[in-house]
Amino acid sequence: MSYPLRVTLRADSARVRARTLAAARARMAAGDLELPMNAIAKEAGVGVGTVYRHFPNRRALLEGLATESFTELVREARAAAENPDIATGLADLLRAALRRQLTDASLAAVLSEPGFECLDTQELSKELGAAALQVLDRAREAGVVRRDVTPDDFRRLTCGIQHAARGGGDPGAAADRYLDIVLKGLRP
Amino acid sequence: MSYPLRVTLRADSARVRARTLAAARARMAAGDLELPMNAIAKEAGVGVGTVYRHFPNRRALLEGLATESFTELVREARAAAENPDIATGLADLLRAALRRQLTDASLAAVLSEPGFECLDTQELSKELGAAALQVLDRAREAGVVRRDVTPDDFRRLTCGIQHAARGGGDPGAAADRYLDIVLKGLRP
DNA sequence: ACCTGAACACCGTTCAAGT
DNA sequence: ACCTGAACACCGTTCAAGT
């Protein structure tokens, strides 16, 4: 069994990583979802090879970008699982997942197709799944949700609503309505 | 007002078009959704420039690929609008849209973001919208659907379910369940 | 008229050479 | 150890030259 021993990066290495992520984020904010490695390296003032050292492929870079939102989402999911009114907790969980995906396209991309590149992301995914399962168990017991639904259905359904919401005008308003429809459909 | 007068292509031109579409379809069937123009031209035994003459960009090629399925879908939508039991008609409409998108990735892509490149596609889209509106009007009158839903919501929701269904194992089974959830949620 | 494919710009990815 | 960027392969797109 061997685990990576070094948890903190060397200062310059950490700086490179941060600058790469910043450049990538700037591009995404400007509406470019392609994340071209060469262009990002140039904008970050870093050699391409160094970008590849930190992020072996575009998927890894995407996960690096999504980590922050993903962490927040896990926190929200846990809070939802604690809600004394679990029907509300369930609605909160799905709403949070949807909102985070709409504000962060990288998170939407990462959740849309699992198959994780980074251990961090895999870990976050497990934690999200665990929180979702708690919500689901309590909701089932309270009889407020269909019995055939799984935590993975939650992931897929929120990704689906996100996709539907982005596929036309006023994504925010559409997302609210579609979430409403799905929540109602999820009742037993 | 000027309309294109030539409806039938010159024989060789039609052959080029057909070969291009065949090559593109072969690629998509092999799981490549990128549709690289150069590679397709080579595989079709045609100059790249000729491909561009027929399909000025990838979106146009995508629409060319989707036309057949789209036409079938319009037919199915019209049949759904005629169903004496309009609740069933509505379910049939959404099921057909979903099924076609799952069997034809190009149709899923075309419907997912409108902004049509070809007149044919624009026409098909209008016809689909008209049929959906008929279904919706009848369903509303019969009181079997939420009043705030539009034909465009149907498009977006089916695209969303398709996306959710593809985002994990057994897309077919997932699609059925998700459609079930959404149909229930659409009731008033 | 329509077709061809060389040519140019750009991106992904690797790896020998530097520090 | 880590970083750099030239180098190679590949793709999108155009356009001068062919038929």
Side-chain angles (χ1 to χ4, degrees):
Chain A
M1 300 272 270
S2 78
Y3 292 108
L5 294 177
R6 183 193 289 282
V7 170
T8 33
L9 258 43
R10 256 177 42 177
D12 59 338
S13 188
R15 197 163 47 241
V16 160
R17 200 189 136 88
R19 293 180 64 163
T20 303
L21 284 174
R25 227 183 291 274
R27 282 210 153 237
M28 287 205 80
D32 183 3
L33 301 183
E34 304 269 298
L35 298 187
M37 301 293 246
N38 279 285
I40 287 169
K42 183 150 286 179
E43 281 155 27
V46 159
V48 222
T50 316
V51 171
Y52 274 91
R53 165 174 289 272
H54 284 272
F55 305 102
N57 48 51
R58 206 144 61 275
R59 169 77 193 199
L61 179 53
L62 215 50
E63 292 183 16
L65 286 173
T67 300
E68 238 183 81
S69 311
F70 207 157
T71 307
E72 291 302 315
L73 176 54
V74 167
R75 196 191 319 280
E76 290 164 335
R78 285 178 176 149
E82 308 283 310
N83 197 317
D85 175 4
I86 196 55
T88 305
L90 188 150
D92 287 347
L93 170 63
L94 297 192
R95 188 164 20 248
L98 186 52
R99 205 172 58 84
R100 293 278 169 201
Q101 287 183 63
L102 283 171
T103 35
D104 184 350
S106 67
L107 181 63
V110 167
L111 288 177
S112 273
E113 43 177 312
F116 302 115
E117 196 68 25
C118 316
L119 282 179
D120 291 16
T121 313
Q122 213 173 312
E123 188 54 39
L124 285 167
S125 166
K126 265 187 215 150
E127 289 169 18
L128 180 59
L133 185 60
Q134 273 187 51
V135 170
L136 206 44
D137 280 344
R138 290 191 51 212
R140 256 201 290 256
E141 201 164 346
V144 298
V145 71
R146 288 165 64 118
R147 302 201 67 85
D148 62 352
V149 173
T150 70
D152 202 53
D153 288 329
F154 282 169
R155 175 186 67 77
R156 291 165 81 170
L157 284 168
T158 55
C159 289
I161 299 173
Q162 178 265 350
H163 188 254
R166 274 195 214 276
D170 204 343
D176 286 345
R177 291 171 53 237
Y178 299 158
L179 178 58
D180 198 56
I181 289 167
V182 169
L183 279 172
K184 180 163 174 253
L186 282 172
R187 292 208 282 266
Chain B
M1 303 272 268
S2 79
Y3 293 108
L5 294 177
R6 183 193 291 279
V7 170
T8 31
L9 259 42
R10 257 177 43 178
D12 59 341
S13 189
R15 194 163 48 238
V16 161
R17 201 189 136 88
R19 292 180 64 164
T20 303
L21 284 174
R25 226 183 292 274
R27 281 211 154 236
M28 288 206 78
D32 182 4
L33 300 182
E34 305 269 297
L35 297 186
M37 300 295 244
N38 279 286
I40 288 169
K42 183 150 288 180
E43 281 156 26
V46 159
V48 221
T50 316
V51 170
Y52 274 90
R53 166 174 289 273
H54 284 273
F55 306 102
N57 46 52
R58 207 143 63 274
R59 170 77 194 197
L61 178 54
L62 215 50
E63 293 184 15
L65 285 173
T67 300
E68 237 183 82
S69 310
F70 207 157
T71 306
E72 291 301 315
L73 175 55
V74 168
R75 196 191 318 281
E76 290 164 334
R78 285 180 175 146
E82 308 282 313
N83 196 318
D85 174 4
I86 196 56
T88 305
L90 189 150
D92 287 347
L93 170 63
L94 297 193
R95 188 166 17 249
L98 186 54
R99 205 172 58 85
R100 292 278 171 201
Q101 287 183 63
L102 283 171
T103 34
D104 184 351
S106 67
L107 181 64
V110 167
L111 288 178
S112 274
E113 46 177 310
F116 302 115
E117 195 68 26
C118 314
L119 283 178
D120 291 16
T121 313
Q122 213 173 312
E123 187 54 39
L124 285 166
S125 167
K126 266 187 215 151
E127 288 168 18
L128 180 59
L133 185 59
Q134 273 187 53
V135 170
L136 206 43
D137 280 345
R138 289 189 53 207
R140 257 203 288 256
E141 202 163 348
V144 297
V145 72
R146 286 164 66 117
R147 300 200 68 84
D148 63 351
V149 173
T150 68
D152 202 52
D153 288 328
F154 282 169
R155 175 184 67 77
R156 291 164 82 170
L157 285 168
T158 54
C159 290
I161 299 172
Q162 178 265 348
H163 188 254
R166 275 194 213 276
D170 203 344
D176 285 347
R177 291 172 53 238
Y178 299 159
L179 178 59
D180 198 54
I181 288 168
V182 168
L183 279 172
K184 178 158 175 258
L186 282 171
R187 292 208 281 267

